[in-house]
Amino acid sequence: MIIEVCVGSSCYIRGAPAVISILQSLIAKYGLEEKVILKGSFCMQQCTQGVTVRIDGVVHSGLGKEDASRLFHHIVLPSLEAVGGED
Ligand code: FES
């Protein structure tokens, strides 16, 4: 899974660094470093009142740092379980 957090100027000032660090610590907490690639991205042309995050190609915009953990628990974990269930 690839999670890209926009670090364009609009997202950056609206909290991208906080979103990245929250996602980073959740990935570490769940030991998912091998399954999840977290990286920064240029502007995704979705500049809103919040941060834009793309998860496996699906764009989520307008996020605040309080949304980072919701995104992780509601999208990242369930889709990893769906994919990795056979391991
Ligand atoms: S700066 Fe993030 S979508 Fe434009």
Side-chain angles (χ1 to χ4, degrees):
M1 169 179 283
I2 300 177
I3 303 178
E4 296 160 276
V5 179
C6 177
V7 289
S9 47
S10 166
C11 290
Y12 193 88
I13 56 172
R14 291 185 165 87
V19 169
I20 290 173
S21 77
I22 291 165
L23 289 174
Q24 223 160 23
S25 44
L26 287 168
I27 288 166
K29 178 177 167 191
Y30 285 83
L32 298 173
E33 293 91 339
E34 312 244 304
K35 293 188 173 170
V36 179
I37 297 166
L38 179 65
K39 56 186 194 179
S41 141
F42 293 116
C43 176
M44 300 182 202
Q45 313 299 327
Q46 299 283 335
C47 314
T48 58
Q49 293 308 310
V51 179
T52 306
V53 176
R54 186 161 52 205
I55 300 177
D56 280 347
V58 180
V59 170
H60 306 265
S61 57
L63 305 172
K65 64 177 190 300
E66 63 285 354
D67 296 310
S69 124
R70 182 181 55 81
L71 206 64
F72 183 83
H73 290 102
H74 290 259
I75 295 174
V76 176
L77 280 185
S79 41
L80 286 175
E81 276 159 18
V83 174
E86 306 284 314
D87 282 5

